[in-house]
Amino acid sequence: MSDAVLSIRPATPGDVSLILQLIHELAEYEQLADTVKATADSLHLQLFGQRPVAEVLIGEVDGAAAGFALFFHNFSTFTGKRGLYLEDIFVRPAFRGAGLGKQLMAALARIAVQRDCARFEWSVLDWNTPSIAFYRSLGAIGMDEWTVQRLEGAALHALAARDEL
C-alpha cells in the first residue's frame, strides 16, 4: 500500500450509515460489540443536528472508506482553554500499515492547533498494546496517575434523582 492515496475529509450527513458501520467494527475489535446503542438517527442528531456535539473525520485509502476519528471539545479550567478529545479512532484491518492512522492523528492535531486548544487527549484500553505503542511513537504520554470514572444507567439516574443538597 505504499503507493496508496490517503485522504482525510470531514464527515457529512450522508456518511451517517458509514460512521455507524465503522463504530460497530471498532466495537467488535475492542470486544465491546454488545455495548453499541448508537443508531443512525441518534448519530445524525448528535453530529449534524441543530447543536452538534461531536465531529467526525473520514479516512480514505484510494477513495475507499478505511477509517474514522470522532472527536469533540472539552474544557480545561487550569489552562482556561478548550481541548480536543478524541473519543474514537479506527482503521479497518485491511488498511492498517498504510499510514492512515498517523494521518488522522495529524489532522486532529492540526485542528487542535488551529482552534487554539490547550491539549489533545484520548483514552486507550489497557490491553491494547499495539495502539499504545502507536500513540507513544507519536509522542503521546500516558496519564497513569489519572483513573477514568463513569456513571451510567441506574447509577446515573439514581444520582440525578437525589434532591438533597
Side-chain angles (χ1 to χ4, degrees):
M1 268 196 225
S2 59
D3 295 336
V5 176
L6 308 180
S7 59
I8 310 289
R9 63 175 178 79
T12 67
D15 291 315
V16 168
S17 293
L18 170 63
I19 295 166
L20 184 58
Q21 181 180 356
L22 290 165
I23 289 169
H24 280 283
E25 291 176 33
L26 168 63
E28 187 73 33
Y29 171 75
E30 291 185 339
Q31 302 167 25
L32 296 168
D34 59 334
T35 66
V36 177
K37 307 277 189 278
T39 66
D41 288 341
S42 68
L43 287 175
H44 190 274
L45 177 66
Q46 299 301 325
L47 299 174
F48 303 106
Q50 190 171 358
R51 292 191 66 186
V53 297
E55 300 173 64
V56 175
L57 297 179
I58 302 292
E60 298 174 332
V61 176
D62 293 331
F68 81 113
L70 187 145
F71 65 98
F72 55 88
H73 288 287
N74 55 16
F75 187 80
S76 166
T77 53
F78 288 5
T79 67
K81 291 185 171 187
R82 66 182 169 173
L84 190 142
Y85 188 83
L86 173 61
E87 178 66 21
D88 284 314
I89 184 169
F90 178 72
V91 174
R92 288 175 159 157
F95 297 101
R96 292 182 188 155
L100 186 62
K102 286 181 186 174
Q103 292 292 328
L104 284 165
M105 294 296 284
L108 292 164
R110 282 191 294 277
I111 290 169
V113 169
Q114 290 165 357
R115 296 180 185 180
D116 194 31
C117 294
R119 54 179 69 136
F120 170 24
E121 299 176 303
W122 59 93
S123 297
V124 60
L125 292 166
D126 290 340
W127 61 260
N128 194 345
T129 54
S131 292
I132 293 169
F134 168 67
Y135 299 141
R136 295 295 181 274
S137 77
L138 299 176
I141 55 168
M143 303 296 291
D144 295 332
E145 66 274 13
W146 293 87
T147 302
V148 175
Q149 305 296 304
R150 178 180 291 168
L151 276 174
E152 62 184 358
L156 173 63
H157 288 275
L159 182 58
R162 290 183 63 169
D163 59 3
E164 61 266 4
L165 298 175

